[in-house]
Amino acid sequence: MLTREQAKEVKTLLCTGKFGRPVVLFALGYVNLQDDEREVLMLRYLHGLTQEATAEKLNISPNTIYNKERIGLEKCYTTWRNNPFMSELLDAALN
């Protein structure tokens, strides 16, 4: 299970402020996400939508958005921390 601190690390990279959209899309390409998980992460972090707005846009419940986001963040963290290049990129996003 992903801790709050681990989730915060992933969210920091996904928010694109430091590296920009191309790097975030590149980083997401390393992760084996289901299409709906990727869509939720992109809407939430690249487009800045709230969970409620994302749920409305995708016509699914906010609880489902929460679950898909949590699973997606966990997959990102695990994949990125197990890849030396991506782990270094994640560390750079945090500094």
Side-chain angles (χ1 to χ4, degrees):
M1 175 162 261
L2 197 66
T3 67
R4 284 182 187 234
E5 191 60 37
Q6 291 167 333
K8 184 179 176 183
E9 288 182 23
V10 174
K11 291 175 185 180
T12 298
L13 179 59
L14 292 176
C15 287
T16 73
K18 190 167 186 177
F19 294 109
R21 187 180 179 95
V23 172
V24 172
L25 294 174
F26 174 79
L28 284 173
Y30 267 89
V31 184
N32 186 22
L33 295 168
Q34 293 182 8
D35 290 341
D36 55 351
E37 294 164 351
R38 184 179 314 279
E39 187 172 22
V40 166
L41 292 178
M42 290 180 70
L43 288 171
R44 292 277 292 125
Y45 298 101
L46 292 176
H47 298 282
L49 297 182
T50 63
Q51 285 183 343
E52 293 77 16
T54 303
E56 187 175 313
K57 183 170 182 68
L58 298 178
N59 199 31
I60 54 180
S61 75
N63 191 47
T64 300
I65 295 298
Y66 172 82
N67 288 328
K68 291 185 182 304
E69 181 179 352
R70 181 184 50 77
I71 291 166
L73 291 172
E74 188 165 351
K75 286 180 179 180
C76 287
Y77 184 83
T78 301
T79 300
W80 294 343
R81 281 300 181 202
N82 287 322
N83 177 297
F85 172 75
M86 295 306 300
S87 186
E88 189 172 320
L89 183 64
L90 186 56
D91 288 339
L94 299 172
N95 295 318

